[in-house]
Every structure is written in structure tokens, then in C-alpha cells.
Amino acid sequence: MHFAWNFTQSGIYGAITSGNEKTNSLLNAKIQGPEFITGGEFGPEGSIQAIVFCAVGAIVLLALSRKENKIIKPYWKK
């Protein structure tokens, strides 16, 4: 998933990935706007949308894990 995200972001759309320099890409996208939306120099993965999307995903996975009773207690609480 991580590879697909980075490849799509930089290899296809030409966006900056993880603060690295811009590379050649299939499309030449021009990302502009406020830093909290575009991610600024770090790229789209530093934007508010990416943070919200990942937070929602983490909450869903934690809720499902708790529902299935699959969360393992830390060794110091056993």
C-alpha cells in the first residue's frame, strides 16, 4: 500500500513524496494552495486530508480489533 501510494503520488501525478525532490512523472500536476491542504514542501501526505484519512482508518481498525477481542495487552499488564 505504501509503495502504491508513493508511486501514484510521484510517478503518475508528479507530486513531491515525503519531502524529496520532484521527479519525472506521467502527468505534470501543479499543486497549489494553503500548506495545510497541499502539504507544502513535504507533499500531499503532510496535508490535513491525509491526516484525517489515516486517523479515520486507525480508529476503524482499532474498533474492529476491540470488537473481535484481538488487542493484546502489553507484557507488563499480563
Side-chain angles (χ1 to χ4, degrees):
M1 226 163 135
H2 189 182
F3 171 78
W5 171 272
N6 284 349
F7 177 76
T8 303
Q9 186 173 294
S10 64
I12 296 178
Y13 293 109
I16 298 169
T17 305
S18 302
N20 295 321
E21 293 181 13
K22 193 172 181 176
T23 60
N24 294 333
S25 61
L26 185 62
L27 302 172
N28 192 7
K30 185 175 182 182
I31 301 172
Q32 57 188 37
E35 282 191 22
F36 74 96
I37 293 176
T38 65
E41 292 181 18
F42 195 77
E45 62 213 46
S47 67
I48 190 72
Q49 296 96 309
I51 293 168
V52 169
F53 180 76
C54 290
V56 168
I59 291 167
V60 168
L61 290 175
L62 283 170
L64 290 172
S65 295
R66 184 169 184 214
K67 182 179 177 184
E68 298 287 325
N69 201 23
K70 294 188 177 187
I71 297 179
I72 300 170
K73 292 182 182 179
Y75 71 90
W76 63 84
K77 290 193 173 188
K78 288 185 178 182

